């Protein structure tokens, strides 16, 4: 926005640049999608324009909706490249992106650009992969974000707060899409890192 073009969003002033980034991260089943949906619904109720994206490969339940493991849902747009979020953001004041770990490192610059335009950007994703290693680009987004929420599940072994995702199958690819049939929430002590 250079002052000669109309503002991208309706704000208190054309030069209002009050954008920011929020990250919701944690293991699978910790309620990241539920929390993302909760924040986006509240913005919609306040009549803010909201755009919601998720990666096209995550077709766990639905192609065009964000759906939590508890079946709460909200319409969304499936995209394959992070750039499409920028292209399809339109005039939305609030942007939601789920499954951030399935986008490449480009997502960081895209979020920076959108926040720089004065928008509220809410990102949800896994902070660790099935080995317990940082899952890019979520760690980079945590460094960049104004607000961070770490969600915890409940360890299915011992009931402690769980911050790890245990893969139950022997597959070794970093991205293997699945839900309760392939993964379960485990705490630090019950997590069994896969052999290398
Ligand atoms: P995430 O996006 O973090 O994978 P979701 O928001 O999709 O999580 O789903 C959260 C829901 O998953 C919970 O409300 C609960 O119904 C369900 N769930 C399944 N297993 C667990 C678990 N071990 N601990 C907590 N919630 C679980
Ligand atoms: Zn445990």
């Amino acid at each position: 926005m250079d002052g000669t073009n109309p503002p991208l969003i309706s704000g208190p002033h054309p030069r209002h640049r009050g954008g920011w980034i929020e990250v919701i991260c944690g293991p699978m089943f910790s309620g990241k999608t539920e929390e993302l949906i909760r924040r986006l619904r509240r913005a919609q109720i306040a009549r803010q324009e909201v755009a919601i994206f998720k990666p096209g490969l995550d077709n766990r339940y639905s192609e065009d909706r964000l759906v939590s493991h508890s079946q709460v849902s909200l319409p969304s747009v499936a995209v394959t490249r992070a750039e499409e979020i920028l292209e399809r953001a339109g005039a939305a004041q609030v942007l939601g992106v789920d499954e951030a770990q399935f986008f490449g490192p480009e997502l960081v610059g895209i979020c920076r650009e959108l926040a720089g335009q004065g928008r509220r950007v809410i990102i949800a994703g896994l902070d660790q992969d099935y080995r317990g290693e940082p899952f890019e680009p979520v760690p980079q987004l945590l460094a960049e974000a104004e607000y961070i929420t770490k969600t915890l599940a409940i360890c299915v072994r011992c009931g402690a707060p769980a911050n790890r995702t245990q893969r139950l199958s022997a597959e070794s690819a970093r991205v293997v899409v699945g839900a309760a049939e392939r993964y379960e929430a485990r705490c630090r002590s019950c997590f069994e890192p896969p052999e290398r």
Side-chain angles (χ1 to χ4, degrees):
M1 193 162 66
D2 62 10
T4 54
N5 293 320
L8 274 161
I9 61 156
S10 54
H13 185 274
R15 287 191 176 278
H16 177 68
R17 294 176 62 80
W20 66 86
I21 299 173
E22 300 168 31
V23 176
I24 303 163
C25 68
M28 284 180 70
F29 310 105
S30 63
K32 299 183 297 298
T33 303
E34 282 174 349
E35 177 59 19
L36 178 62
I37 290 173
R38 189 184 75 88
R39 293 186 194 182
L40 296 170
R41 280 232 169 99
R42 284 161 53 94
Q44 286 175 332
I45 290 164
R47 287 189 287 281
Q48 295 185 325
E49 194 174 329
V50 170
I52 308 167
F53 300 94
K54 66 174 195 177
L57 71 96
D58 178 44
N59 50 7
R60 234 177 7 195
Y61 299 113
S62 168
E63 276 302 332
D64 54 1
R65 295 187 78 81
L66 284 192
V67 186
S68 77
H69 290 107
S70 54
Q71 303 299 317
V72 237
S73 73
L74 211 57
S76 67
V77 175
V79 291
T80 48
R81 297 172 304 114
E83 290 77 26
E84 286 176 69
I85 298 172
L86 203 53
E87 293 157 17
R88 302 179 70 170
Q93 296 158 275
V94 181
L95 296 161
V97 181
D98 203 3
E99 307 284 12
Q101 75 282 354
F102 292 156
F103 290 101
E106 317 78 60
L107 183 63
V108 182
I110 300 289
C111 291
R112 189 178 299 146
E113 169 76 24
L114 291 163
Q117 292 172 352
R119 313 197 211 213
R120 176 184 179 193
V121 183
I122 317 173
I123 303 292
L126 293 170
D127 50 358
Q128 297 172 36
D129 66 11
Y130 78 105
R131 296 184 183 279
E133 305 285 346
F135 207 158
E136 304 79 27
V138 175
Q140 287 77 6
L141 286 163
L142 287 171
E144 180 98 20
E146 275 83 357
Y147 301 99
I148 296 167
T149 303
K150 278 225 180 195
T151 48
L152 293 164
I154 295 170
C155 176
V156 298
R157 283 275 175 91
C158 75
N163 73 334
R164 305 274 164 121
T165 306
Q166 184 75 50
R167 185 179 284 178
L168 303 173
S169 63
E171 291 146 306
S172 61
R174 197 179 204 193
V175 175
V176 176
V177 176
E181 79 290 351
R182 272 211 182 86
Y183 295 98
E184 68 185 25
R186 297 263 185 102
C187 72
R188 189 183 286 279
S189 10
C190 296
F191 178 68
E192 293 158 18
E195 281 165 29
R196 293 221 170 242

